[in-house]
């Protein structure tokens, strides 16, 4: 176990990141990680409020990134659904005017209807996820307030 080690991934590759070999023994890496964990535990026990705030802030940032991604996907889906409605209208008008055969209209409209149906299902799922995430945000704020009320500032 004392002889196990990790090599730098930059050296293992094309050697353009690290020109010379360097490594770290497993026991040393484990000791560094353990030391870091001890420092975190010490910080958390000495400055509980600061630690809780840091963890909650990091969690909130991560949730906000996920929420923003879902909201963008939802907006894109809703935009495409609206575009498909416009396409349906044009297809119908082209069929009525004779620019498009009935067979072609049936094929195109079936494809577009399938796409629109899938997008509507996706939008419904995303709305549910977004609403659930918004409720979690509210609950986190209430729990944080309740913790500060019950435990005080110590």
């Amino acid at each position: 176990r004392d002889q196990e080690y990790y090599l730098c991934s930059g050296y293992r590759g094309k050697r353009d990141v690290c020109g010379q070999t360097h490594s770290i023994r497993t026991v040393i890496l484990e000791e560094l990680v353990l030391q870091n964990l001890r420092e975190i535990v010490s910080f958390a026990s000495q400055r509980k409020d600061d630690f809780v705030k840091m963890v909650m802030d990091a969690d909130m940032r991560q949730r906000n990134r996920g929420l923003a991604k879902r909201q963008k996907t939802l907006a894109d889906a809703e935009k495409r659904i609206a575009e498909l409605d416009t396409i349906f209208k044009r297809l119908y008008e082209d069929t009525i005017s004779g620019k498009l055969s009935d067979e072609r209209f049936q094929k195109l409209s079936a494809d577009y209807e399938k796409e629109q149906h899938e997008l509507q299902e996706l939008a419904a799922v995303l709305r549910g996820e977004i609403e659930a995430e918004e409720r979690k945000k509210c609950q986190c704020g209430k729990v944080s307030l309740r913790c500060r009320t019950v435990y005080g500032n110590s």
Side-chain angles (χ1 to χ4, degrees):
R1 178 113 174 123
D2 287 343
Q3 300 303 315
E4 293 178 6
Y5 61 92
Y6 293 97
L7 281 178
C8 172
S9 64
Y11 180 74
R12 280 191 175 176
K14 300 174 186 170
R15 299 178 200 236
D16 57 351
V17 176
C18 298
Q20 51 185 316
T21 182
H22 51 276
S23 61
I24 185 167
R25 290 194 350 244
T26 304
V27 292
I28 293 174
L29 182 61
E30 288 173 353
E31 184 58 38
L32 290 170
V33 170
L34 183 61
Q35 179 183 352
N36 190 273
L37 286 173
R38 286 183 182 133
E39 290 173 6
I40 292 170
V41 169
S42 173
F43 176 80
S45 64
Q46 292 173 4
R47 299 173 60 189
K48 292 175 188 169
D49 286 343
D50 293 338
F51 180 75
V52 168
K53 185 178 182 335
M54 287 172 60
V55 170
M56 288 180 71
D57 288 347
D59 182 57
M60 190 61 67
R61 281 191 303 274
Q62 183 178 1
R63 286 177 188 261
N64 286 341
R65 280 192 298 270
L67 184 60
K69 185 177 179 182
R70 285 187 188 97
Q71 288 170 333
K72 179 170 181 355
T73 303
L74 176 60
D76 291 345
E78 289 174 338
K79 180 181 176 186
R80 180 64 180 157
I81 290 168
E83 289 172 357
L84 289 170
D85 283 336
T86 303
I87 290 171
F88 282 131
K89 290 175 187 174
R90 288 185 189 145
L91 283 176
Y92 180 73
E93 290 170 1
D94 288 349
T95 303
I96 296 297
S97 68
K99 293 179 184 176
L100 192 64
S101 70
D102 286 340
E103 291 173 14
R104 191 69 181 145
F105 173 77
Q106 292 299 326
K107 166 119 176 57
L108 289 171
S109 65
D111 291 345
Y112 287 135
E113 284 178 13
K114 180 182 176 195
E115 181 183 357
Q116 190 173 45
H117 180 71
E118 291 170 354
L119 287 170
Q120 287 169 337
E121 288 178 352
L122 174 65
V125 168
L126 288 170
R127 281 187 202 99
E129 290 176 357
I130 290 168
E131 288 174 13
E133 194 62 40
E134 291 291 342
R135 282 194 301 273
K136 283 181 188 176
K137 276 177 137 178
C138 291
Q139 289 170 353
C140 284
K142 290 177 184 176
V143 167
S144 174
L145 182 60
R146 201 173 301 135
C147 286
R148 287 189 180 117
T149 304
V150 171
Y151 298 110
N153 290 333
S154 60

